[in-house]
Amino acid sequence: MNFQDFYWADSDIESINIEYDRATLVIWNDALQRRLAVACSGFAGMTNLCIWDDTIIAGTSVQPAGDADNEFLRDLYKAYSKNKDFGGRSLGDGLLEMKIELVNGISFRVYCQKIEVFERDVSDPYAQE
């Protein structure tokens, strides 16, 4: 399922699991009253996550990262060539920037190559897709 097809405001982030090539956000979607997993594969990194006391989403967006000029992307492209294959993945294939703004007014960004949404069984929120 496509991340942008969902209404995320007022939803609650329950967990974030980061692995080598994947970040998975488990979110209780308030509009649907369902638990969903947002799987970000080809994971490059995450910025500015500040969830001290706020896990409720205010808004979201997804766009190609392109050559956006920010500190994270400058560091990433300085450390890793866009033209090199790193275990079957290449930065030359492009990155997506998923921006999530929390109700505390602070946004964090997830950089990855593919974003998919999966429904989760309410009785087992951490089951594999």
Side-chain angles (χ1 to χ4, degrees):
M1 295 181 272
N2 187 328
F3 180 83
Q4 296 177 7
D5 291 341
F6 291 88
Y7 182 75
W8 295 103
D10 297 324
S11 296
D12 188 45
I13 298 172
E14 294 184 345
S15 70
I16 299 173
N17 182 45
I18 297 174
E19 302 172 51
Y20 163 70
D21 188 38
R22 181 182 182 103
T24 303
L25 290 77
V26 176
I27 299 172
W28 176 260
N29 186 287
D30 188 64
L32 296 175
Q33 292 293 294
R34 290 186 185 159
R35 182 172 285 117
L36 301 172
V38 178
C40 305
S41 56
F43 178 68
M46 181 181 295
T47 67
N48 206 33
L49 180 60
C50 182
I51 57 171
W52 178 256
D53 193 38
D54 293 300
T55 58
I56 298 171
I57 296 171
T60 64
S61 65
V62 173
Q63 63 187 24
D67 291 324
D69 187 23
N70 67 50
E71 184 178 4
F72 175 82
L73 290 175
R74 280 193 302 273
D75 288 346
L76 179 69
Y77 294 138
K78 183 177 177 183
Y80 303 101
S81 169
K82 287 184 182 182
N83 300 318
K84 188 172 179 186
D85 183 281
F86 293 94
R89 44 185 207 157
S90 170
L91 291 172
D93 294 336
L95 289 173
L96 296 171
E97 177 190 81
M98 179 174 65
K99 177 182 172 183
I100 298 178
E101 180 183 357
L102 300 175
V103 295
N104 61 12
I106 299 173
S107 296
F108 69 93
R109 289 164 175 77
V110 177
Y111 291 92
C112 61
Q113 294 182 310
K114 185 176 182 182
I115 302 168
E116 295 179 281
V117 178
F118 300 93
E119 193 164 339
R120 290 288 200 166
D121 181 341
V122 174
S123 65
D124 188 5
Y126 304 107
Q128 295 295 318
E129 290 84 45

